[in-house]
């Protein structure tokens, strides 16, 4: 009944890992033809795969796992989903109440296991009227999306023999229709905002993470209506669009506006945060549909909870300020191969193709060195908690959910953290090309003060160099793998892979 109800509510994708106690849920799913089921043997990878699907669809993805540490293995993905406002519904199988905390095999305390990272939790009774279970499932479905999207957990107790626990329910009532409020500004607040935008002498737009191409289109319309220059984060995708109002380098310390309008989610670069901090005292508006607290320097003066598409249609059209930004590409250092690689990766036609940026150095290099083009790429990254785990799995889920070809740029340590994610590529009907930067260790630590701690300490405890043959991991999962060692070799192979929509791993070994 639980699975049936979630499908009735609109859930399409169910991600599951094999397990005994979750058998009733799996059997119920197997009898359904209206949902797509994906199986993964690694629960941690499974969680991130579901996360990627939900990022693409903007709808809850359902995860089914058995009891015990299978549930705990979802924690990293749950944290990322919570921080990044991504809806997930976790169905965790469990023992009945009276059989818990007795030392039974594969038993842990699953109640509220995700703590404050879950938007809601319910421990269903083993026996209850069907209407009550329906009500609880529907309530958590809604809580996964409103008022703030995120993960929820439904703990499902089953008694042996499990085959008898999968009985079908008949005569269930239809789901209660719900109508979440549209997030718009009341007329008085909108008029006040218009007036304050009109009197600004030198306004600037700051754009953070945007969750979909629809949000990109809306924010670009806001920028054009205001006629203000915009500083765009790489995670907005607008950073890689050639447009006279968009800033394409990171030398903007001299930009001193009298009003800031910040739109979207988290910002990536430390330099942008420092610039905002230097403007403390400037009128700083923050506009976002979920009203995230994206204010690490405590500089925001006014917050507006508002749907971006609605605001783009109600944003005032101002006389062009003439503060145009030139399209300036940051100069590449001759020996900086990773910066060159980021620019090379960015210089393709992004129409009907998605760019997934690895969390550590890749997203920073793309932000600083990516080349602007005529298309707006949808740029996605796990920047909620900014972990490097589960990146391949998330990218695979995203490709499945959006049905578009995808390029993932990641480092070797990120790759090693999620090699099991390679197993998910077989589920995809669209190409996923993993551009793998192999610098044989944690390259990001070279840019931090810890790099000055002494070569021996730095290499052993922070950079953690390795000599693994990464192509062997791809071979294990039957994934194509190409290794390149020069810029010419990589560029030719990359262009060929893009032109022919190839899937696999394209490794670039830095010198």
């Amino acid at each position: 009944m639980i699975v049936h109800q979630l499908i009735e509510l609109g859930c399409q994708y169910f991600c599951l890992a094999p397990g005994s106690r979750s058998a009733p849920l799996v059997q119920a799913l197997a009898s359904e033809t209206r949902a797509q089921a994906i199986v993964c043997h690694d629960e941690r990878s499974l969680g991130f795969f579901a996360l990627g699907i939900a990022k693409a669809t903007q709808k809850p993805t359902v995860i089914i796992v058995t009891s015990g540490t299978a549930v705990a293995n979802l924690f990293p993905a749950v944290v990322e989903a919570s921080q990044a406002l991504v809806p997930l519904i976790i169905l965790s199988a469990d023992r009945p109440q009276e059989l818990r905390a007795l030392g039974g095999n594969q038993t842990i305390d699953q109640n509220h296991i995700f703590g404050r990272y879950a938007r809601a939790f319910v421990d269903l009774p083993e026996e209850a009227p069907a209407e009550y279970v329906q009500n609880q499932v529907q309530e958590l479905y809604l809580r996964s999306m409103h008022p703030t999207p995120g993960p929820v957990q439904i703990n499902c107790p089953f008694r042996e023999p499990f085959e008898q626990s999968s009985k079908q329910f008949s005569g269930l009532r239809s789901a209660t229709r719900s109508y979440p409020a549209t997030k718009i500004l009341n007329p008085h607040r909108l008029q006040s905002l218009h007036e304050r935008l009109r009197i600004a002498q030198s306004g600037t737009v700051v754009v953070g993470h945007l969750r979909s191409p629809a949000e990109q289109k809306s924010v670009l319309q806001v920028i054009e209506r205001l006629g203000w220059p915009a500083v765009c984060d790489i995670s907005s995708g607008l950073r890689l669009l050639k447009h006279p109002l968009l800033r394409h380098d990171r030398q903007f310390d001299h930009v001193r506006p009298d009003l800031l309008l910040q739109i979207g989610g988290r910002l990536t670069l430390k330099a942008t945060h420092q610039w905002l901090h230097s403007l403390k005292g400037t009128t700083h508006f923050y506009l976002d549909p979920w009203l995230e607290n994206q204010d690490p320097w405590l500089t925001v003066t006014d917050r507006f909870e508002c749907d971006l598409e609605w605001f783009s249609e109600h944003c005032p059209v101002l006389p062009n300020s003439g503060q145009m930004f030139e399209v300036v590409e940051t100069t590449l250092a001759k020996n900086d191969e990773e910066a060159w690689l980021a620019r090379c990766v960015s210089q393709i036609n992004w129409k009907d193709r998605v760019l997934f940026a690895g969390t550590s150095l890749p997203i920073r290099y793309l932000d600083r060195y990516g080349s602007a083009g005529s298309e707006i790429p949808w740029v996605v990254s796990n920047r909620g908690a900014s972990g490097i785990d589960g990146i391949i799995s998330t990218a695979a889920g995203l490709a499945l959910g959006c049905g578009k070809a995808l390029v993932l740029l990641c480092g070797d340590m990120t790759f090693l953290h999620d090699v099991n994610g390679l197993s998910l590529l077989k589920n995809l009907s669209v190409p996923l090309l993993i551009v793998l930067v192999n610098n044989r260790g944690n390259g990001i630590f070279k840019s931090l003060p810890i790099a000055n701690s002494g070569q021996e300490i730095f290499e052993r405890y922070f950079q953690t160099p390795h000599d693994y043959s990464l192509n062997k991991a791809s071979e294990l999962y039957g994934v194509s793998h190409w290794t390149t060692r020069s810029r010419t070799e990589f560029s030719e192979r990359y262009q060929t892979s893009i032109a022919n929509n190839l899937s696999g791993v394209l490794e670039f070994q830095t010198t």
Side-chain angles (χ1 to χ4, degrees):
M1 180 182 67
I2 298 170
V3 170
H4 172 82
Q5 179 73 356
L6 288 172
I7 294 174
E8 286 288 314
L9 289 166
C11 292
Q12 179 182 358
Y13 294 98
F14 288 71
C15 301
L16 58 104
S20 175
R21 195 159 294 270
S22 56
L25 295 168
V26 176
Q27 288 173 328
L29 178 61
S31 66
E32 284 282 356
T33 59
R34 297 173 295 169
Q36 184 170 348
I38 304 100
V39 180
C40 179
H41 294 85
D42 177 354
E43 283 88 359
R44 189 179 77 158
S45 183
L46 179 78
F48 281 104
F49 184 69
L51 174 81
I53 295 175
K55 278 176 176 277
T57 63
Q58 303 287 297
K59 296 179 180 179
T61 302
V62 182
I63 303 173
I64 298 176
V65 290
T66 192
S67 59
T69 57
V71 188
N73 273 307
L74 299 176
F75 209 114
V78 167
V79 170
E80 177 62 30
S82 180
Q83 299 280 88
L85 312 186
V86 179
L88 294 177
I89 298 175
I90 297 149
L91 303 182
S92 53
D94 204 350
R95 279 171 161 71
Q97 286 276 2
E98 78 276 8
L99 296 180
R100 300 175 190 175
L102 297 175
N105 185 46
Q106 203 172 338
T107 304
I108 65 172
D109 184 358
Q110 298 175 189
N111 284 18
H112 298 284
I113 190 172
F114 303 117
R116 295 174 64 183
Y117 292 105
R119 299 290 186 266
F121 167 83
V122 63
D123 187 19
L124 292 176
E126 182 190 0
E127 295 183 6
E131 291 81 1
Y132 170 79
V133 177
Q134 277 188 293
N135 178 271
Q136 292 297 291
V137 171
Q138 177 168 290
E139 177 65 19
L140 265 73
Y141 170 84
L142 293 173
R143 287 292 302 277
S144 73
M145 295 183 291
H146 306 284
T148 306
V152 299
Q153 180 193 1
I154 302 176
N155 205 46
C156 310
F158 296 113
R159 187 184 301 276
E160 298 184 70
F162 301 132
E163 291 75 12
Q164 296 179 10
S165 299
S166 59
K167 61 181 179 180
Q168 297 296 310
F169 290 81
S170 60
L172 298 178
R173 65 181 177 86
S174 301
T176 302
R177 288 182 291 273
S178 299
Y179 306 96
T182 302
K183 297 184 178 182
I184 63 176
L185 301 179
N186 65 50
H188 174 74
R189 179 66 59 83
L190 181 62
Q191 181 181 359
S192 175
L193 177 58
H194 277 201
E195 292 173 354
R196 297 174 75 179
L197 293 175
R198 287 192 177 99
I199 63 174
Q201 298 298 309
S202 57
T204 296
V205 180
V206 179
V207 186
H209 170 61
L210 299 178
R211 302 173 185 87
S212 67
E215 286 195 350
Q216 290 178 321
K217 181 180 178 181
S218 296
V219 172
L220 187 60
Q221 181 171 317
V222 170
I223 294 170
E224 291 172 341
R225 281 181 169 234
L226 293 175
W228 290 358
V231 174
C232 300
D233 191 87
I234 183 64
S235 62
S236 71
L238 302 183
R239 162 70 180 83
L240 298 178
L241 175 66
K242 188 174 293 184
H243 190 287
L245 288 171
L246 307 183
R247 183 106 192 161
H248 292 278
D249 62 58
R250 285 294 171 254
Q251 305 303 317
F252 48 74
D253 287 348
H254 65 284
V255 180
R256 314 303 291 181
D258 66 343
L259 190 150
L260 287 165
L261 176 61
Q262 184 177 343
I263 305 176
R266 294 171 184 264
L267 298 167
T268 301
L269 278 196
K270 187 176 182 179
T272 310
H273 284 289
Q274 292 174 332
W275 174 64
L276 291 176
H277 182 51
S278 73
L279 296 173
K280 197 165 188 176
T282 302
T283 301
H284 185 166
F285 294 166
Y286 180 67
L287 189 149
D288 187 77
W290 308 113
L291 206 62
E292 290 186 84
N293 189 9
Q294 299 296 330
D295 188 18
W297 299 109
L298 304 178
T299 58
V300 173
T301 57
D302 300 78
R303 298 187 183 195
F304 301 89
E305 185 176 12
C306 180
D307 179 77
L308 298 186
E309 183 178 359
W310 180 88
F311 182 72
S312 70
E313 298 298 330
H314 294 81
C315 178
V317 178
L318 304 184
N320 195 297
S321 64
Q323 297 179 15
M324 301 297 185
F325 282 156
E326 291 184 42
V327 178
V328 180
E329 290 190 343
T330 305
T331 304
L332 294 175
K334 186 176 181 180
N335 61 346
D336 195 336
E337 292 182 315
E338 293 177 50
W340 172 85
L341 186 72
R343 179 162 295 176
C344 181
V345 167
S346 69
Q347 291 175 326
I348 62 171
N349 185 346
W350 289 102
K351 185 178 181 181
D352 299 322
R353 196 176 296 270
V354 180
L355 172 60
F356 199 108
T359 301
S360 191
L361 278 179
I363 192 169
R364 291 173 170 84
Y365 274 116
L366 283 168
D367 192 286
R368 185 173 294 277
Y369 300 106
S371 181
S374 58
E375 299 287 341
I376 307 177
W378 183 22
V379 180
V380 184
S381 184
N382 282 356
R383 291 293 294 183
S386 299
I388 67 169
D389 46 350
I391 298 298
I392 297 174
S393 300
T394 308
L398 187 81
L400 176 69
C402 68
K404 293 184 178 181
L406 187 144
V407 175
L408 164 62
L409 176 61
C410 70
D412 50 330
M413 299 307 290
T414 293
F415 184 84
L416 288 168
H417 266 70
D418 194 26
V419 288
N420 275 354
L422 294 172
S423 67
L424 294 164
L425 270 61
K426 68 178 182 295
N427 294 313
L428 304 180
S429 58
V430 293
L432 194 166
L433 181 66
I434 301 173
V435 177
L436 169 58
V437 189
N438 185 1
N439 56 20
R440 299 173 183 83
N442 283 306
I444 192 169
F445 288 109
K446 294 179 181 178
S447 63
L448 301 178
I450 195 66
N452 301 318
S453 60
Q455 191 67 15
E456 182 177 350
I457 292 176
F458 175 69
E459 284 192 4
R460 180 178 180 183
Y461 296 104
F462 294 95
Q463 190 177 9
T464 56
H466 67 84
D467 57 359
Y468 303 136
S469 298
L470 301 182
N471 61 310
K472 299 296 184 183
S474 300
E475 182 181 336
L476 176 65
Y477 293 99
V479 174
S480 299
H481 191 113
W482 306 278
T483 302
T484 60
R485 296 176 177 84
S486 71
R487 296 187 181 189
T488 300
E489 188 181 9
F490 173 84
S491 182
E492 291 176 354
R493 173 59 70 176
Y494 181 58
Q495 294 299 327
T496 298
S497 300
I498 294 298
N500 293 283
N501 288 318
L502 300 181
S503 289
V505 179
L506 177 52
E507 178 184 354
F508 181 69
Q509 294 184 355
T510 62
T511 55

